[in-house]
Amino acid sequence: MRTHRQSRHGRIFVASALGVTLLGGAVFTAMAGENSSGSGSASALPKSATTGIEPASGLIVGYKSKAQETHSEKAVREGISAAAAKTGEKLSYERRLGIGAALVNLDGVQPAKEVIKVMNQLQADADVAYVVPDALVPTSDIESPPDEAQSNLPSDGTDLTSKQWNLSEPKAGLDVPDALRVSTGKGVTVAVLDTGIAKHSDLDANIVPGFDFISDHGPNESGENKDNANDGDGRDSDSSDPGDFAKEGQCPANEATSTESSWHGTHVAGIVAGVDNGKGIVGVAPDAKVEPIRVLGSCITPDSDIIDAITWASGGSVDGVPDNQTPAQVINMSLGSEAPCTPPMQAAIDQAVQRGSTIVVAAGNQGNRPAPLDAGKFDFASCSNVITVAATDRAGDKAFYSNFGSVVDISAPGGDTSNGHPENGILSTFNSGKTVPAEENFHFEMGTSQAAPEISGLAALMLSANPNLTPAEIETAIQANARPIPGRCEEGCGAGLADAAKTVEAVARGASAGATDSPSSPPSDSSSDAPTSPDSPPASSSSSDGAGDGAGNGTGQEGDGTDLSACLHNTCQVEVTSGDTIELDGAAGVDELQIDSVSDNTLAFTASSGNGAQQSSASQTAPGRSQVNDLAVDVISVDDDRATIRLSS
């Protein structure tokens, strides 16, 4: 792949994933007040957090669920005005994000010292759950791996499917032809969050209206806007790709930019759902629809634009944007950067999963660094509730550029065009224009950006065969039906190489996906310290193993909105209160987790194993992690007598 962006992932606790191809300049964010007791007193950012803060032009402020700011614009403005008066900084309220958080404008790019000062002051408000910089993700972060062979094929009506080894070769392909005998993706929409899509005859029939979410926040070091969108305006309904090339002086001076356009979104879209018309290429799900959502421009994209795009793609409401008439059941994200997953990113993902969208993310392409990178170091790849995808080459080995590690869920062909062999890359739709759109063509590329949309296409095939699948069930089935990596991958490539035919056949006949580390039901949207969204529906309690009737295998108070049965397979995110008991399957060395008390920003619990014969008690402040045998207990937030916790093994 040749674009300029990168990817990140998080384990699908009770949800699913997205696919991306990122990599590039590190943009770090940090949460203010992580050690706050919740009393409302000002708490400075921990040293470990402030070291990653970079200059920023905006902040994202999330409010606790019971805070007045969640439903009052006046209260939000008053809080921002108070912080401005105390810091002497010029702050303004820009807009409400789809997740319910507020976007605060810092009046141009401010140095890290000033950013931290404002963050600390905003965090001093007891109603504020978090404050993070609205990090600017460079488009250059989706760089292709080095030594990529450039090879274009004309769009002259020739059938090129014989060159799509990734779909059909027995050793390292996905076995898509056999899967298409069962399902073609009909009735499923896949949102592609990317650079937009250039017009192409192998795509046109499968495109549904999308949206351009680039708000044109491309300030340089002097605070000047240099048209990041490359189309002369901000958000609008035109999601076509005008080209993501950068003119001299258009982008910030410290950003490496490309003078040529990548047509990244067009290439990704063809992999998902290229039309089966007897010419050109064919997508993994040739009868699925693609919804192009533009989030990547020439220079830098703020996290806030990507967060709103996730919300809208999944059917959520975003201020100032018409409602999505075709909400996507699958969201592909071949983008991201080297940074941690932030609370607003996680909130957007969790809410999208609750609406039923499976999110697929690329693992990233920094595996060939002198010190190769684990996918867990990338923001979207390190978020929870996504499917993170690593890339393999034509020999079945982990591709030399692919990130890896424990957060990787599955692998798929990403190809390797290096050493003069473009035919070993992934062939898909493209454009011949060096800068602006010209004639359509086809192009071989390599990257985790190419692997991720293959999994998004597979998810579309699965949903077409069985529309009742939840995001968690989709991930579980993909992992359970994968086959071993045919080559080498010692660093961690997930459950193996995806097998499209085996997976689609399994879900079509309603077969059990089998037990994995993934949950069988989506997470509860009950994080009391997360920003709220008025359109977020209650979490589904459906389960692939039949458990999930609300109370399920847990003993939470009936009707309290907590589905403790989601934790049966040791991976979930739930809200708990004193007296709750979570029953687990013992695979992580814990059979039962008793919540002893929730107070003073602290959760106390007792873990039991061996039918209660072995017990271990612990307490943990929020946010923080305790480890019991192989079970990790993350206390995300505490609000009065309730805590949001995440279990993983």
Side-chain angles (χ1 to χ4, degrees):
M1 54 156 281
R2 195 207 94 50
T3 99
H4 358 305
R5 228 176 205 7
Q6 312 192 349
S7 130
R8 78 185 163 198
H9 150 97
R11 293 172 70 85
I12 179 162
F13 286 143
V14 216
S16 249
L18 330 103
V20 184
T21 276
L22 338 70
L23 278 37
V27 179
F28 296 98
T29 59
M31 180 166 22
E34 288 186 335
N35 57 354
S36 170
S37 65
S39 63
S41 59
S43 80
L45 287 164
K47 269 190 177 180
S48 60
T50 60
T51 55
I53 298 295
E54 293 190 352
S57 61
L59 297 173
I60 299 175
V61 183
Y63 301 98
K64 297 179 180 179
S65 60
K66 300 176 183 178
Q68 187 178 6
E69 288 89 342
T70 61
H71 54 78
S72 170
E73 303 297 293
K74 179 181 178 182
V76 171
R77 294 180 184 277
E78 288 176 348
I80 294 171
S81 296
K86 292 181 179 179
T87 60
E89 300 293 329
K90 188 176 180 180
L91 312 178
S92 60
Y93 172 52
E94 188 157 337
R95 68 174 184 270
R96 177 89 69 174
L97 302 188
I99 57 173
L103 182 61
V104 178
N105 192 303
L106 298 180
D107 192 33
V109 177
Q110 301 301 323
K113 181 179 179 181
E114 301 304 314
V115 174
I116 294 169
K117 179 173 68 173
V118 175
M119 289 173 68
N120 282 334
Q121 188 58 53
L122 288 167
Q123 187 68 52
D125 185 341
D127 287 335
V128 170
Y130 62 77
V131 183
V132 298
D134 187 17
L136 300 174
V137 182
T139 296
S140 56
D141 277 3
I142 55 173
E143 299 164 351
S144 61
D147 301 321
E148 181 182 0
Q150 300 294 317
S151 179
N152 294 320
L153 298 177
S155 179
D156 59 5
T158 302
D159 186 344
L160 301 174
T161 54
S162 63
K163 300 181 183 297
Q164 293 182 273
W165 62 267
N166 54 306
L167 303 186
S168 58
E169 283 193 352
K171 181 178 181 181
L174 294 168
D175 195 9
V176 170
D178 285 339
L180 293 178
R181 301 178 196 278
V182 180
S183 171
T184 60
K186 187 176 180 63
V188 180
T189 298
V190 180
V192 174
L193 274 60
D194 217 292
T195 62
I197 296 179
K199 184 176 176 59
H200 200 293
S201 60
D202 261 20
L203 288 174
D204 292 344
N206 282 344
I207 301 299
V208 298
F211 205 82
D212 178 359
F213 271 91
I214 300 177
S215 58
D216 225 14
H217 291 182
N220 63 12
E221 293 173 339
S222 301
E224 299 171 316
N225 192 308
K226 293 299 186 89
D227 190 18
N228 176 47
N230 249 12
D231 60 3
D233 56 31
R235 293 181 171 182
D236 57 36
S237 59
D238 182 3
S239 57
S240 62
D241 188 352
D244 58 0
F245 69 99
K247 301 174 184 177
E248 184 177 354
Q250 180 175 346
C251 299
N254 61 349
E255 183 196 339
T257 56
S258 175
T259 57
E260 295 186 6
S261 292
S262 68
W263 312 116
H264 190 257
T266 304
H267 201 266
V268 168
I271 295 170
V272 174
V275 178
D276 187 4
N277 54 12
K279 58 184 180 180
I281 58 96
V282 63
V284 173
D287 285 337
K289 298 299 183 183
V290 169
E291 183 171 70
I293 299 180
R294 192 162 179 254
V295 295
L296 305 181
S298 296
C299 305
I300 44 183
T301 295
D303 284 345
S304 54
D305 281 352
I306 299 173
I307 288 166
D308 275 352
I310 295 171
T311 300
W312 188 84
S314 61
S317 296
V318 176
D319 285 355
V321 178
D323 287 344
N324 187 352
Q325 299 304 307
T326 52
Q329 295 98 317
V330 182
I331 300 175
N332 188 91
M333 295 175 63
S334 290
L335 52 79
S337 61
E338 187 183 341
C341 180
T342 65
M345 291 175 184
Q346 189 62 64
I349 289 169
D350 289 346
Q351 291 176 16
V353 168
Q354 288 163 4
R355 296 184 193 103
S357 297
T358 294
I359 299 176
V360 181
V361 180
N365 300 335
Q366 297 290 15
N368 62 317
R369 278 185 174 183
L373 285 186
D374 188 299
K377 294 183 181 294
F378 284 76
D379 45 20
F380 288 107
S382 65
C383 290
S384 303
N385 301 330
V386 303
I387 298 173
T388 296
V389 187
T392 52
D393 60 23
R394 195 167 184 173
D397 297 319
K398 182 188 79 68
F400 73 91
Y401 51 78
S402 179
N403 288 353
F404 49 82
S406 61
V407 301
V408 172
D409 294 303
I410 196 70
S411 293
D416 181 357
T417 64
S418 62
N419 301 318
H421 291 287
E423 72 279 3
N424 291 337
I426 309 301
L427 184 64
S428 187
T429 45
F430 209 67
N431 193 277
S432 63
K434 294 295 185 182
T435 54
V436 298
E439 297 297 318
E440 67 177 56
N441 63 3
F442 301 91
H443 185 62
F444 287 101
E445 295 204 350
M446 63 177 173
T448 55
S449 282
Q450 280 59 51
E454 291 169 340
I455 298 302
S456 293
L458 173 53
L461 296 180
M462 297 166 68
L463 284 165
S464 183
N466 185 345
N468 295 320
L469 292 172
T470 67
E473 289 168 342
I474 288 172
E475 190 208 23
T476 298
I478 290 173
Q479 291 182 312
N481 292 287
R483 61 184 189 271
I485 297 290
R488 296 169 58 92
C489 181
E490 296 84 3
E491 305 96 329
C493 287
L497 183 66
D499 188 315
K502 185 178 177 183
T503 304
V504 172
E505 288 167 1
V507 300
R509 65 174 184 266
S512 172
T516 72
D517 287 341
S518 300
S520 55
S521 59
S524 165
D525 183 30
S526 54
S527 175
S528 56
D529 282 355
T532 57
S533 175
D535 68 327
S536 297
S540 167
S541 60
S542 62
S543 167
S544 61
D545 62 2
D549 57 357
N553 293 291
T555 57
Q557 293 289 325
E558 188 172 336
D560 66 1
T562 296
D563 178 14
L564 300 182
S565 67
C567 298
L568 182 61
H569 296 305
N570 303 325
T571 313
C572 66
Q573 180 171 310
V574 292
E575 183 182 87
V576 295
T577 190
S578 300
D580 278 347
T581 299
I582 302 175
E583 294 183 9
L584 306 172
D585 62 11
V590 178
D591 295 301
E592 184 178 281
L593 197 70
Q594 170 74 42
I595 307 303
D596 299 324
S597 65
V598 181
S599 63
D600 298 327
N601 205 46
T602 301
L603 174 87
F605 63 87
T606 298
S608 303
S609 58
N611 294 321
Q614 301 175 6
Q615 292 190 339
S616 160
S617 297
S619 62
Q620 178 63 57
T621 57
R625 166 176 288 194
S626 290
Q627 188 79 29
V628 184
N629 295 333
D630 292 329
L631 182 72
V633 181
D634 287 291
V635 182
I636 300 172
S637 61
V638 176
D639 189 13
D640 296 331
D641 63 345
R642 292 187 172 272
T644 299
I645 67 172
R646 180 178 296 144
L647 304 183
S648 58
S649 59

